[in-house]
Amino acid sequence: MLLVRAFAGLIFLFATIAVVLFGSAGTLHFGRAWMTLAVFFGCAAAITVWLWFHDKALLERRVKAGPGSEPDPIQSVVQALAGLVFLATFAVPGLDMRFGWSHVSLAVSLAGAGMIAIGFLIVFLTFRENTFTAGTIEIAEGQQVIVTGPYAIVRHPMYSGALVMVAGIPLALGSWFGLLPVALLVPVLVWRLMREEALLLAHLAGYDEYCDRVGYRLVPMFW
């Protein structure tokens, strides 16, 4: 059953992140970690349920995501790198908590949790607008250029939302040093984005006109 597979993936991700986070922290007594996990997986679960009721085709595409599902072997490498860096955004704050490297106020951590929620909101708005936002880089039958919603602002809003969300994770966890792996994630994401855009330009009718209409790929007024 699709919903069972989707939640099984979420449970596996939760377990993996929990092991990395609490293992690196060396304790389960880490209140900001529990808050971060609650916000992250609460948002992820809510989007999953919404997709189940409103867009099962997209949920199926998202469930198939991952390094092994990429048609392009290079993208499998990119996905694997992104996954490792993503886990590092939890591992470094865990080590930070264990050794006391950072002193982050509760207000900053709450702002970080808000960034996670905002990032997921951007992703949700992207999913709602475009049923073809698969987890792999490919052109699906019947796919069309989307120019409404967040696509009217940037050409790759799902990546924009992911960046906001990931940047919020170390702040929510109370770690300045956790922003280092976030910085490493940016070139990996840009690499993937550029290869995806090349495919869309070559094979998706009307995408070149869309690029002329919306000039920013990832960050409004910047790039």
Side-chain angles (χ1 to χ4, degrees), residues 19 49 52 94 147 190:
V19 168
V49 172
W52 166 252
V147 299
V190 169

Side-chain angles (χ1 to χ4, degrees), residues 118-181:
I118 291 170
F120 270 110
L121 175 61
I122 296 170
V123 171
F124 166 72
L125 294 175
T126 303
F127 286 170
R128 190 179 65 176
E129 207 70 28
N130 185 5
T131 188
F132 294 103
T133 47
T136 56
I137 296 180
E138 56 187 339
I139 304 295
E141 183 179 354
Q143 185 169 344
Q144 298 177 344
V145 175
I146 306 297
V147 299
T148 53
Y151 287 94
I153 303 171
V154 292
R155 302 203 294 264
H156 300 274
M158 187 174 68
Y159 293 129
S160 302
L163 269 183
V164 173
M165 177 264 291
V166 173
I169 289 172
L171 299 179
L173 291 170
S175 172
W176 297 119
F177 286 91
L179 293 171
L180 294 175

Side-chain angles (χ1 to χ4, degrees), residues 51-98:
L51 288 175
W52 166 252
F53 282 107
H54 297 279
D55 196 342
K56 289 185 176 65
L58 177 53
L59 182 59
E60 182 69 48
R61 294 185 182 99
R62 301 304 305 176
V63 167
K64 291 180 179 178
S69 60
E70 288 286 350
D72 182 357
I74 293 178
Q75 286 306 313
S76 293
V77 175
V78 175
Q79 284 272 51
L81 286 173
L84 290 174
V85 177
F86 176 70
L87 288 178
T89 63
F90 292 93
V92 173
L95 292 171
D96 196 341
M97 190 272 180
R98 175 181 286 196

